[in-house]
Amino acid sequence: MSTPRPFRIDVPQADLDDLAGRLARTRWPDELPGTGWSYGVNKDYLMELVEHWRTGYDWREHETRLNRVPQFTTEIDGQDIHFLHVRSPEPDATPLIITHGWPSTVYDFLDILGPLTDPRAYGGDPADAFHVVAPSVPGFAFSGPTRATGWGAGRVARAWAELMRRLGYERYGAQGGDFGSIVSPELGRIAPERVIGVHVNALATASTPIDPGELDKLSYDEREQARRNQSWWYGHSGYATQMSTRPQTLAYALNDSPAGQLAWNLEWFVDWDPTRTERTPVDRDTVLTNVTIFWLTATAGSAARLYLETASEAWGRRPPPSPVPTGVANFLGDRAIRGLAELSNTVVHWSRFPRGGHFASLQAPDLLVADVRDFFRSLRAR
């Protein structure tokens, strides 16, 4: 069971027909007039997207696109782990494991796999090539559902270390965004002798202080940013509070209503405020592909458990310092504060970009790839 086995997605047509039927029978709630998005996902927006999902979206197109990428499964620590594995044509390429967040899947990475693994074909320097491993987080999509408690960020990172060992990679880099920005640094703490560097975007652990004393360690501008971040997070953290305390209660609704699951996932994919036109929107078929994968694998509730499991093991305390060189990319809307990041990471690279958004691999893949290359280029030169 530990030997990686080839994997191919082949969803029965009956499952797609059932999805279409459920979408057609959606029981819509009321909505207060004139509230727009201020109370949550806008009803008119959602109804239009659900109708497109039912009548215009083609799952088979995206299933085929995923199946063009080499995929495998292997059992680690009692859990089936699904992963993409794309080797570079460059023999001296650097191994790199990349980790998605919530509510994402490995589908988010399809636009960056080519430039990362074969920069020569995209007008880049072949010395910047990577062998890319992109696992589905346990509990998510084809790595789910989880079958035991305890699958928080630390256990995921230990599974990643074992996966890279099985694939024969002795030294490698790590990259991640959103929840991946928690898992990837943790991998560096678990295996510092193997991880040459950690690159993150949407760094989730460095936007707000964990205790008031941390404010004293920041500059004046950083303290003001931290206070603004705290106010912002208060108005946007309901989803995280629910999933980190009572994910099973939520799972019944998400697993029974595809429209409900789409609404739950959608707020982050519209990047918090769809009226902010300076942010690059996420393509609606990409949103629907991620949600469809959750629906077809019945893993919306299992994915939500990651929040409770990680809260149980780590939230409420600052991670211990990591000796691994760390690079942080900040895209439009990201709220990481360097002074907080440096409390638990050896930050050697800090960049800001005027476009993109929380889902950088979807909203600014060119900038993300360039920053990953730039960060690891400096480590290769050492």
Side-chain angles (χ1 to χ4, degrees), residues 40-377:
V41 171
N42 176 258
K43 182 179 177 181
D44 289 342
Y45 185 100
L46 184 62
M47 290 182 71
E48 181 180 350
L49 190 55
V50 164
E51 183 62 15
H52 172 65
W53 194 6
R54 187 179 72 86
T55 63
Y57 170 80
D58 182 2
W59 161 256
R60 296 300 185 194
E61 173 189 339
H62 302 279
E63 180 183 71
T64 298
R65 189 178 179 215
L66 274 164
N67 282 332
R68 293 192 188 107
V69 182
Q71 299 174 67
F72 304 86
T73 60
T74 187
E75 185 178 305
I76 299 176
D77 196 10
Q79 180 66 34
D80 288 333
I81 303 297
H82 164 264
F83 61 98
L84 312 181
H85 186 195
V86 186
R87 288 189 60 85
S88 172
E90 307 296 338
D92 295 327
T94 301
L96 179 70
I97 184 166
I98 58 178
T99 306
H100 65 83
W102 182 92
S104 294
T105 70
V106 294
Y107 189 82
D108 284 16
F109 297 138
L110 295 194
D111 286 339
I112 66 174
L113 291 177
L116 286 175
T117 59
D118 193 6
R120 188 194 304 267
Y122 290 82
D125 185 345
D128 289 329
F130 297 93
H131 301 304
V132 175
V133 179
S136 297
V137 173
F140 286 64
F142 306 107
S143 286
T146 44
R147 298 191 290 266
T149 60
W151 277 102
R155 190 171 179 182
V156 173
R158 290 190 291 274
W160 281 191
E162 171 61 17
L163 175 60
M164 296 301 274
R165 186 196 67 80
R166 289 185 188 179
L167 295 176
Y169 295 131
E170 295 296 322
R171 295 274 288 163
Y172 49 87
Q175 201 285 326
D178 187 79
F179 230 99
S181 77
I182 300 175
V183 172
S184 297
E186 192 63 21
L187 177 57
R189 295 184 185 95
I190 288 168
E193 74 288 353
R194 299 198 180 275
V195 178
I196 64 171
V198 173
H199 181 280
V200 295
N201 61 284
L203 181 55
T205 59
S207 62
T208 57
I210 290 177
D211 63 68
E214 291 186 344
L215 285 174
D216 296 334
K217 302 174 183 179
L218 305 180
S219 68
Y220 174 81
D221 288 343
E222 288 179 330
R223 288 196 298 273
E224 291 302 302
Q225 180 63 52
R227 293 186 177 102
R228 290 193 296 271
N229 288 351
Q230 285 178 309
S231 177
W232 180 90
W233 182 238
Y234 177 80
H236 291 79
S237 60
Y239 81 101
T241 300
Q242 178 67 31
M243 293 198 297
S244 62
T245 55
R246 290 294 186 268
Q248 187 63 31
T249 303
L250 177 66
Y252 299 112
L254 300 187
N255 205 57
D256 190 59
S257 169
Q261 184 189 302
L262 174 58
W264 184 255
N265 291 19
L266 186 61
E267 285 194 25
W268 286 88
F269 276 121
V270 296
D271 218 4
W272 316 312
D273 182 358
T275 66
R276 296 282 296 278
T277 56
E278 71 271 20
R279 291 200 183 121
T280 306
V282 176
D283 172 73
R284 66 177 182 173
D285 275 10
T286 297
V287 173
L288 292 176
T289 298
N290 276 304
V291 175
T292 302
I293 291 171
F294 278 115
W295 177 261
L296 294 172
T297 57
T299 54
S302 178
R305 290 199 290 263
L306 177 67
Y307 278 70
L308 184 146
E309 302 289 4
T310 300
S312 298
E313 70 181 22
W315 285 2
R317 65 176 177 84
R318 184 68 58 188
S322 169
V324 176
T326 300
V328 181
N330 298 277
F331 292 86
L332 196 63
D334 288 340
R335 297 170 183 272
I337 296 171
R338 183 161 188 165
L340 294 177
E342 290 177 338
L343 294 177
S344 51
N345 302 280
T346 302
V347 178
V348 299
H349 174 97
W350 188 270
S351 56
R352 291 195 177 277
F353 299 100
R355 62 180 174 88
H358 187 78
F359 300 91
S361 63
L362 299 174
Q363 295 172 291
D366 57 331
L367 297 180
L368 178 62
V369 168
D371 203 64
V372 170
R373 289 174 178 170
D374 185 43
F375 171 68
F376 283 101
R377 188 182 302 127

